[in-house]
Amino acid sequence: MVLLLLACMPKTLVPPPPNASVLRSELLIDGSLQQRLSSEAADLVVLYGGEQKGSMDTCGCPRRPRGSFPRMGAYVEAIQRSEVPMVLVNPGYWLEDAQGFDGVQRADMAAMDRWMIQGMKALPWSGINLAPQDLAALVTVQEEAKGLPLLSANADGAPPYQIVEVGGHKIGITGIAGPVPTLTDPLYKLQDPGSAGPTIEALSQKADVIILLAYQASDAAKRLAERYPSIDVVVDAAGYRDHFQPLVVGHAVWVFSHYQTMRLGELRLRLQDGSVVGALDRQIDLDPSMPEQSKLETMLRQAKVEIDALQQQLFQ
């Protein structure tokens, strides 16, 4: 009977909290792609980045433009070649509401979202959180987005989570988003982000590792992480532009996603019995010295030609 009870015990009662002393971080701002890769052993790598705002391109910064899907794609491929179990997650705001202040959909913004979805499909995403801006944009590109692993634990009608199996581990991914004003009525109505408890409880029965993605919902994510010890990782996105050290909140390793994915996050986890026992959080600058994945580079070039032509028509 005791063995049966232990076998049925939910994940929320199993993992001890990780020791903050085993959390480390690195900031990689120069060197080749090969020099920026880590040789440290990991049972699971969580690559994370969001807030692309409907653009596959760089941030557009004149001095040192960073980000872009082609550069991200090159790094993701390098991690895949290392054969370390990997998931790629997006905490939200990857699309942009195409409606203008006059209530009319802008053709250039709608084209950006369509190209963005094509770019998203060219990357091996495991979970993509839905921010209010994404829900507004999906009103017009819902069909194009089919097949993407979208999720939201507090948007009515959206898939509440995704589960993927990598390296012999079942990884449960869910997400929450705070209320942000949009011009377009969203595809699904957002509820209180703190209402994600039932989703996390369901995942605790199905997954070995649980990742919570949070967009503009840090306070709610903190309450959830403190209440549910089954949450192993929190990826927090809220316009962060600085380098922050990873934290332990509840039983979860908490990391901060860089705005517009100018830096790609790489969380290298050591796992034991489904619990995190070590973590290295790495922030990799996606600067001009990084190579570009050829398929995404071609796609970005084609997108820019179309979008530039539409903007010329709109703004003369």
Side-chain angles (χ1 to χ4, degrees):
M1 180 64 72
V2 172
L3 291 174
L4 179 61
L5 289 173
L6 287 173
C8 296
M9 186 177 291
K11 188 179 187 298
T12 52
L13 301 177
V14 174
N19 190 328
S21 65
V22 302
L23 302 188
R24 294 175 295 121
S25 69
E26 295 178 348
L27 175 60
L28 292 303
I29 59 173
D30 54 28
S32 66
L33 184 153
Q34 196 63 35
Q35 291 171 326
R36 298 187 202 195
L37 292 171
S38 175
S39 60
E40 178 153 330
D43 300 302
L44 176 67
V45 170
V46 181
L47 294 178
Y48 60 91
E51 298 178 291
Q52 291 90 359
K53 300 169 58 176
S55 174
M56 294 188 291
D57 208 349
T58 67
C59 62
C61 316
R63 188 174 66 87
R64 190 165 172 263
R66 294 180 293 156
S68 89
F69 269 24
R71 295 173 189 171
M72 183 195 300
Y75 196 87
V76 170
E77 284 188 346
I79 295 292
Q80 288 178 313
R81 287 194 295 271
S82 72
E83 297 184 350
V84 179
M86 179 202 82
V87 293
L88 175 64
V89 296
N90 191 310
Y93 197 3
W94 45 283
L95 289 175
E96 186 65 282
D97 187 356
Q99 183 169 302
F101 287 103
D102 56 1
V104 178
Q105 187 181 59
R106 279 178 46 177
D108 61 327
M109 299 292 288
M112 283 177 62
D113 283 340
R114 289 195 300 271
W115 278 107
M116 183 66 182
I117 288 172
Q118 289 191 47
M120 293 287 281
K121 289 184 174 181
L123 288 165
W125 296 101
S126 300
I128 303 169
N129 193 27
L130 292 168
Q133 299 90 334
D134 306 318
L135 292 169
L138 282 172
V139 170
T140 54
V141 290
Q142 184 180 7
E143 287 299 313
E144 290 90 335
K146 284 184 176 178
L148 288 174
L150 308 180
L151 57 88
S152 173
N154 70 310
D156 289 340
Y161 56 78
Q162 300 286 342
I163 296 178
V164 296
E165 188 165 351
V166 292
H169 301 284
K170 289 185 178 179
I171 315 300
I173 308 165
T174 188
I176 57 174
V180 177
T182 57
L183 297 171
T184 305
D185 288 334
L187 181 65
Y188 305 121
K189 183 179 178 182
L190 278 178
Q191 303 297 332
D192 179 355
S195 64
T199 296
I200 295 165
E201 289 175 353
L203 274 179
S204 71
Q205 304 294 333
K206 301 177 181 180
D208 305 314
V209 176
I210 296 177
I211 301 172
L212 174 63
L213 311 175
Y215 174 74
Q216 294 288 357
S218 304
D219 289 343
K222 182 176 183 292
R223 291 192 297 270
L224 289 166
E226 290 173 339
R227 180 176 179 184
Y228 296 99
S230 57
I231 299 175
D232 297 288
V233 175
V234 175
V235 178
D236 182 10
Y240 299 120
R241 297 173 182 267
D242 296 317
H243 177 233
F244 297 101
Q245 299 291 328
L247 308 171
V248 173
V249 180
H251 285 57
V253 176
W254 187 296
V255 295
F256 300 87
S257 181
H258 200 280
Y259 182 62
Q260 291 184 296
T261 317
M262 289 186 277
R263 290 173 179 161
L264 178 65
E266 177 189 350
L267 180 62
R268 300 181 72 88
L269 297 174
R270 296 304 304 268
L271 303 173
Q272 184 176 327
D273 299 326
S275 302
V276 176
V277 294
L280 171 62
D281 183 43
R282 313 179 76 240
Q283 296 282 317
I284 298 96
D285 252 26
L286 298 181
D287 60 2
S289 65
M290 292 289 282
E292 296 184 333
Q293 200 257 12
S294 58
K295 178 180 177 180
L296 282 163
E297 192 276 330
T298 299
M299 191 180 296
L300 174 58
R301 194 167 359 102
Q302 293 170 338
K304 290 171 78 169
V305 169
E306 179 182 341
I307 293 163
D308 287 350
L310 289 169
Q311 290 179 340
Q312 293 235 0
Q313 294 174 16
L314 287 169
F315 307 115
Q316 302 300 314

